[in-house]
């Protein structure tokens, strides 16, 4: 019920449609309940052969026809308004969820599978729309029908109506029991649906890697295992959902049979305590008994859909309830910087049980080139994450031009850095739009100059439409060409600080040599952080930090470290052995 009430809060912008839905439902159902009364009176006008009141019968038929038409019109309007309410609410919820994903800290994105999050935004919200909101409309209609029919049955014959009321809890008990059994099955099905979406995204996105390592059989086995679990959970959930309606229908048919038997005996006078009933009243009562029990069948089916929708809604709300990055709009906005960066005794760990950086300090002066080397997992990329505040430090502080980065807005801080990573980021759009991603207002001349500086101008011009060629991450560009476009982005934005994390790892040696010269020009006067495994690319660095287990084990320039004969010297010599 908490989830349902929370969903209703999202309906507030569409309160008008909600009110119109209620009005149309009340009018439509009220008119539909009048129809059996008119039919009963029409039956009473045809008492016996040659005793038919045709004048009264014609009037009843005309009124009945108008009643049915008007009732149908209002029920159609009810469906129209509930659809506007449902899809408008889901649109707002999906928009809020998309905005929320952009506000979530990087730590949440890193610790959750992308395929699962995509499933929550797309399929889970669709199930929410179809099940929860549409089901709520059926639930409301069913409750109004039950109450309206019950009142009319009590007015026609209270004693027979009490028989119906007494037998109703049996139907409710059956529906409640089945609903409880189906909840866990639908919840497991939703979780497995997210898992299989995540695995599919992983395998399809890395299909070349799968084939390169002949991983097809194991990938198929992993998929088959989850698919098997999903099939079993879906079968179980569908089984409970499918038996809900026939089980309650069976009980309701027993109620209908009881009403018909008792009412017929009362109409012929066999059961005087029932009271006098005409044939028309009996027909009306039987129709009402059917209308009274029918919503229970529908509601039992709705409960099964609601369980599935609620399970999906819980997954959506898990994202919405995850704390966003703290608001820093009141912090100082950094418009420019000189690039003097100092790290004082910082500590950070991704998890509490596994320590990483415990006491790290360094000082990068304006214009210095700082290289960071070390084994995989030693904390090189973590330092970059902390500089850009993708993760928050747990102890110590980082100062930029003497200002603590904690007191600066994240957006303005990140704008001071240009970053080229080993992983390439290509977006669907033209080549020019990809290069100008960080500077949308750049002129064509500036974009082409950035392409020349990154040595990408040649291959861009060979594309079908040059800089206006539409590309994507899967458009056939080589990894090296994608890397050149990423480098061109940095050339265009020309930030005061640079981060190069294996920036030339996907480029051939000849192009790398030319790019290094371009970087030398770009890095003049800028504070630069260079992470590289090929030590030949960092020989000219002003200062080299050799890291191990999150701490600095050696530091100095290339010549100093070679003279020390420590880890850096042995690593350098191993790369140039012979």
């Amino acid at each position: 019920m908490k989830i349902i009430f929370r969903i209703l809060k999202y309906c507030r912008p569409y309160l008008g449609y909600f009110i119109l839905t209620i009005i149309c439902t009340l009018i439509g159902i009220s008119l539909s309940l009048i129809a059996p009364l008119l039919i009963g009176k029409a039956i009473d006008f045809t008492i016996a052969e040659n005793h038919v009141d045709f004048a009264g019968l014609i009037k009843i038929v005309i009124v009945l026809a108008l009643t049915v038409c008007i009732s149908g019109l209002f029920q159609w309007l009810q469906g129209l308004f509930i659809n506007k309410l449902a899809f408008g609410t889901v649109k707002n919820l999906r928009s809020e969820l998309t905005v929320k994903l952009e506000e979530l800290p990087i730590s949440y994105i890193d610790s959750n599978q992308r395929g699962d999050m995509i499933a929550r935004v797309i399929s889970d919200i669709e199930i929410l729309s179809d099940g929860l909101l549409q089901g709520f409309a059926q639930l409301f209609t069913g409750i109004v029908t039950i109450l309206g029919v019950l009142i009319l049955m009590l007015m026609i014959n209270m004693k027979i109506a009490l028989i119906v009321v007494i037998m109703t809890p049996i139907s409710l008990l059956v529906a409640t029991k089945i609903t409880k059994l189906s909840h866990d099955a639908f919840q497991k099905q939703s979780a497995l649906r997210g898992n299989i979406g995540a695995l599919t995204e992983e395998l399809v996105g890395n299909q070349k890697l799968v084939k390169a390592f002949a991983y097809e059989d194991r990938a198929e086995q992993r998929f088959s295992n989850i698919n098997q679990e999903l099939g079993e959970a879906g079968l179980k959930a569908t089984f409970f959902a499918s038996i809900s309606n026939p089980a309650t229908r069976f009980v309701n048919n027993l109620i209908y049979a009881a009403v018909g038997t008792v009412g017929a005996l009362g109409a012929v006078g066999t059961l005087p305590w029932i009271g006098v009933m005409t044939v028309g009243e009996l027909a009306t009562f039987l129709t009402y008994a059917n209308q009274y029990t029918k919503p229970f069948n529908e509601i039992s089916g709705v409960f099964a859909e609601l369980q599935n929708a609620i399970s999906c809604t819980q997954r959506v709300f898990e994202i919405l309830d995850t704390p966003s990055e703290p608001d820093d709009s009141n912090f100082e906005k950094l418009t420019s910087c000189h690039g003097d960066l100092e790290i004082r005794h910082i500590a950070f760990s991704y998890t509490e049980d596994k320590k990483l950086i415990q006491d790290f300090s360094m000082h990068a002066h304006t214009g210095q080139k700082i290289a960071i080397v070390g084994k995989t997992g030693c904390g090189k990329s973590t330092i970059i994450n902390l500089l850009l505040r993708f993760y928050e430090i747990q102890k110590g502080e980082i100062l930029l031009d003497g200002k603590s980065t904690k007191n600066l807005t994240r957006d303005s801080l990140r704008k001071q850095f240009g970053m080229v990573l080993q992983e390439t980021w290509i977006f669907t759009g033209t080549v020019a739009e990809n290069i100008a991603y960080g500077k949308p207002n750049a002129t064509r001349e500036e974009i082409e100059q950035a392409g020349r500086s990154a040595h990408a101008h040649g291959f861009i011009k060979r594309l079908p439409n040059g800089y206006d060629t539409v590309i994507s991450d899967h458009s056939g560009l080589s990894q090296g060409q994608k890397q050149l476009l990423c480098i061109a982005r940095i050339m265009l934005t020309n930030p005061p600080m640079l981060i190069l994390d294996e920036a030339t790892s996907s480029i051939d040696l000849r192009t790398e040599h030319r790019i290094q010269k371009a970087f030398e020009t770009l890095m003049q006067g800028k504070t630069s952080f260079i992470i590289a495994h090929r030590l030949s690319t960092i020989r000219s660095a002003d200062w080299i930090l050799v890291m191990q287990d999150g701490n600095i084990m050696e530091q100095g320039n290339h010549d100093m470290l070679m003279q020390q004969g420590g880890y850096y010297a042995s690593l350098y010599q191993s790369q140039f052995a012979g």
Side-chain angles (χ1 to χ4, degrees), residues 81-101:
F81 294 139
I82 194 64
N83 280 333
K84 288 183 176 290
L85 169 67
F87 291 117
T89 301
V90 168
K91 181 194 71 173
N92 292 346
L93 183 59
R94 184 181 286 111
S95 298
E96 182 177 336
L97 184 60
T98 303
V99 172
K100 180 68 176 184
L101 287 175

Side-chain angles (χ1 to χ4, degrees), residues 21-22 24-26 28-30 32-33 74-75 78-79 82 133-149 291-292 294-296 298-299 302:
T21 299
I22 293 176
C24 290
T25 301
L26 293 175
I29 291 176
S30 298
S32 68
L33 295 182
F74 277 98
Q75 290 181 20
Q78 176 216 359
I82 194 64
L133 295 173
Q134 301 290 354
F136 174 75
Q138 294 181 11
L139 184 63
F140 178 73
T141 301
I143 292 174
V144 172
T145 301
I146 291 170
L147 294 177
V149 170
Q291 284 186 310
Y292 177 80
K294 184 180 179 181
F296 286 104
E298 295 176 349
I299 289 173
V302 167

Side-chain angles (χ1 to χ4, degrees), residues 37-46 57 60-61:
L37 287 174
L38 297 174
I39 293 172
K41 289 183 179 181
I43 292 174
D44 286 338
F45 281 141
T46 57
L57 186 60
I60 290 293
V61 170

Side-chain angles (χ1 to χ4, degrees), residues 419-547:
M419 183 167 60
V420 181
L421 304 182
Q422 183 176 7
E423 180 184 2
T424 57
W425 297 325
I426 300 297
F427 308 95
T428 301
T430 66
V431 173
E433 290 171 342
N434 266 273
I435 293 176
Y437 189 81
K439 189 179 179 182
N441 59 346
T443 64
R444 175 54 69 93
E445 183 180 353
E446 291 175 325
I447 293 173
E448 293 187 5
Q449 180 57 46
R452 291 188 182 92
S453 300
H455 299 280
H457 186 76
F459 89 82
I460 293 174
K461 280 298 185 180
R462 290 192 295 271
L463 295 175
N465 298 312
Y467 282 86
D468 295 317
T469 303
V470 177
I471 60 173
S472 68
D473 198 37
H474 306 286
S475 58
L477 294 179
S478 69
Q479 190 69 14
Q481 289 172 330
K482 294 178 184 179
Q483 191 74 286
L484 291 176
L485 292 179
C486 293
I487 293 171
R489 286 195 194 118
I490 302 303
M491 298 290 189
L492 179 63
T493 55
N494 194 26
M497 305 180 73
L498 295 175
I499 295 174
L500 308 177
D501 188 352
E502 292 292 330
T504 59
S505 60
S506 302
I507 299 173
D508 62 89
L509 293 176
R510 180 182 178 186
T511 305
E512 179 187 3
H513 181 67
R514 300 169 67 185
I515 289 293
Q516 288 295 344
K517 291 184 177 180
F519 275 152
E520 290 294 332
T521 303
L522 182 64
M523 288 188 291
Q524 288 182 2
K526 296 180 175 63
T527 306
S528 305
F529 295 89
I530 307 168
I531 296 176
H533 290 108
R534 290 195 297 211
L535 302 187
S536 60
T537 62
I538 60 171
R539 289 188 59 176
S540 61
D542 297 309
W543 204 250
I544 300 173
L545 304 177
V546 183
M547 293 187 63

Side-chain angles (χ1 to χ4, degrees), residues 234-455:
L235 180 63
K236 188 176 181 180
T238 304
F239 172 76
F240 286 126
S242 61
I243 66 172
S244 176
N245 190 285
T248 54
R249 188 180 295 276
F250 173 75
V251 176
N252 294 336
N253 285 338
L254 293 178
I255 297 174
Y256 185 85
V259 171
T261 302
V262 174
L265 293 175
V268 298
T270 305
L271 296 177
W273 59 273
I274 293 297
V276 179
M277 290 184 71
T278 66
V279 175
E281 288 176 337
L282 177 58
T284 299
F285 207 96
L286 286 172
T287 303
Y288 281 147
N290 190 39
Q291 284 186 310
Y292 177 80
T293 56
K294 184 180 179 181
F296 286 104
N297 296 328
E298 295 176 349
I299 289 173
S300 64
V302 167
F303 277 139
E305 294 180 8
L306 287 176
Q307 293 300 328
N308 190 13
I310 287 174
S311 298
C312 294
T313 306
Q314 287 175 325
R315 286 164 44 82
V316 172
F317 285 155
E318 281 177 8
I319 295 181
L320 292 176
D321 293 338
T322 301
S324 303
E325 285 187 321
D327 180 34
D328 60 359
S329 57
N330 295 326
F331 291 178
E332 180 183 353
K333 293 183 179 180
L334 196 63
T335 57
S336 63
C337 72
H338 299 292
D340 186 83
L341 192 142
E342 184 179 2
I343 299 177
R344 294 180 179 174
H345 306 290
I346 64 170
F348 173 79
S349 298
Y350 290 104
T351 58
E352 294 182 1
D353 58 334
K354 187 176 181 181
K355 300 296 183 182
L356 183 57
I357 298 175
Q358 300 183 47
D359 186 12
F360 184 90
S361 299
M362 62 159 286
H363 192 171
H365 298 282
T366 303
Q368 275 192 325
K369 289 183 290 184
I370 308 296
I372 305 176
V373 299
K375 296 179 180 178
T376 300
C378 68
K380 301 186 299 295
S381 297
T382 301
I383 295 296
I384 304 304
N385 287 335
L386 298 179
L387 290 179
L388 294 171
R389 288 186 63 192
F390 291 148
Y391 290 81
E392 298 292 346
I393 57 177
Q394 292 149 1
K395 290 182 181 179
E397 61 178 346
I398 300 176
L399 303 175
L400 181 58
D401 290 350
K403 300 175 181 178
S404 175
T405 56
K406 288 184 178 180
N407 300 326
L408 304 175
T409 62
R410 285 180 291 272
D411 185 56
S412 65
L413 171 65
R414 292 166 186 169
K415 284 182 178 179
Q416 308 307 313
F417 289 87
M419 183 167 60
V420 181
L421 304 182
Q422 183 176 7
E423 180 184 2
T424 57
W425 297 325
I426 300 297
F427 308 95
T428 301
T430 66
V431 173
E433 290 171 342
N434 266 273
I435 293 176
Y437 189 81
K439 189 179 179 182
N441 59 346
T443 64
R444 175 54 69 93
E445 183 180 353
E446 291 175 325
I447 293 173
E448 293 187 5
Q449 180 57 46
R452 291 188 182 92
S453 300
H455 299 280

Side-chain angles (χ1 to χ4, degrees), residues 54-70:
F54 285 102
L57 186 60
I58 291 173
K59 292 180 181 178
I60 290 293
V61 170
I62 294 173
V63 175
L64 178 62
L66 291 174
T67 301
V68 171
C69 290
I70 297 173

